[in-house]
Amino acid sequence: MNLSRCIFITSAALAPVACAVSLPYQRGTSVAQPNPVPAIRPPQVGQEWTYIKKDAFNGKTLGLIRERVANIGSSITINRSTEDGGMLPSEIQSKWGFVSTDPQWPRLLSFSPALPLWPLELTSSWSKQFNTKYGLGGYSDGKLNWQEYMSAQGWEEITVPAGTFLTLRYQNLINYESEDDNKVDCIRKETIWFAPEIGRWVAREASGSYQIQGQMGVAVREDSFQWQLTSYK
């Protein structure tokens, strides 16, 4: 990554996700680093998490998404469905905590190598950059570049519809290469509250922007979403 791109990513990290978001940003209460650090719940077939998804710009509820561990073997499959039972693309983890097929984005993405889903060390000072390639639609032979800088922000207690949880809040700042050559400086930003006791996140915010080739200086904002955990087992 060249210096100009580093500067761009750094400045993007300091900017707000969006300047006209109807939903307030989610907030937790800062707490001290727990000692000992909570163990991450291991996966078992039948574990479930249900999330409410909202449009952050207008506050509209977009639906409930149920996620269920369906298979544990050489990889881990998490099936996803809508409130009325309609099936959504599944999440595939190469091993617990490393996603190889990610359905959370507007288009299904496959990463090679897989990306971590939470900080590798559950400490407030941890950070690391990951470089991988991705493909669209579940294809694993993608050649598009994906750079992700993951940084822990601190331990927090946060209350969502499913209850109050001890979480490690962290951010992902992503710079990726679009399949559309007209889109450049593609940035995505996530803030995630990960609860080790349930082995999953309990709250999440995501947004993105890009610029059009030849029209540099004007960022085009992508959709911005919020998710909150409503139940789990």
Side-chain angles (χ1 to χ4, degrees), residues 120-138:
L120 302 182
E121 297 177 8
L122 301 184
T123 62
S124 300
S125 60
W126 184 90
S127 64
K128 188 172 182 178
Q129 178 170 301
F130 300 94
N131 299 311
T132 188
K133 302 285 187 179
Y134 80 96
L136 297 170

Side-chain angles (χ1 to χ4, degrees), residues 6-7 25 28 73 100 133 143 156 158 186:
C6 286
I7 293 172
Y25 296 123
S100 55
K133 302 285 187 179
K143 304 298 183 183
E156 294 183 354
I158 188 169
C186 301

Side-chain angles (χ1 to χ4, degrees), residues 39-114:
I40 298 173
R41 183 175 74 159
Q44 291 184 354
V45 172
Q47 288 176 348
E48 287 188 3
W49 308 267
T50 301
Y51 297 94
I52 186 170
K53 180 179 181 181
K54 294 185 177 183
D55 187 312
F57 287 120
N58 58 27
K60 181 180 179 181
T61 296
L62 301 176
L64 287 175
I65 299 173
R66 179 173 292 107
E67 303 183 338
R68 181 180 185 275
V69 178
N71 179 69
I72 300 175
S74 58
S75 60
I76 299 168
T77 301
I78 298 178
N79 287 345
R80 302 167 68 249
S81 60
T82 60
E83 187 176 11
D84 60 5
M87 295 306 297
L88 298 170
S90 296
E91 176 182 305
I92 308 296
Q93 298 184 21
S94 59
K95 61 180 181 179
W96 190 230
F98 285 78
V99 64
S100 55
T101 300
D102 192 346
Q104 301 290 348
W105 302 103
R107 298 180 68 178
L108 186 66
L109 304 182
S110 291
F111 298 106
S112 181

Side-chain angles (χ1 to χ4, degrees), residues 182-194:
N182 291 315
K183 294 182 179 180
V184 296
D185 287 330
C186 301
I187 299 292
R188 285 177 176 170
K189 183 179 178 181
E190 296 183 291
T191 301
I192 300 171
W193 286 260
F194 173 68

Side-chain angles (χ1 to χ4, degrees), residues 175-215:
N175 176 242
Y176 67 98
E177 179 185 6
S178 174
E179 82 283 5
D180 184 345
D181 292 337
N182 291 315
K183 294 182 179 180
V184 296
D185 287 330
C186 301
I187 299 292
R188 285 177 176 170
K189 183 179 178 181
E190 296 183 291
T191 301
I192 300 171
W193 286 260
F194 173 68
E197 68 174 287
I198 69 167
R200 201 73 171 164
W201 50 274
V202 301
R204 184 173 187 161
E205 298 175 343
S207 64
S209 67
Y210 61 88
Q211 298 192 41
I212 301 298
Q213 185 83 335
Q215 300 178 17

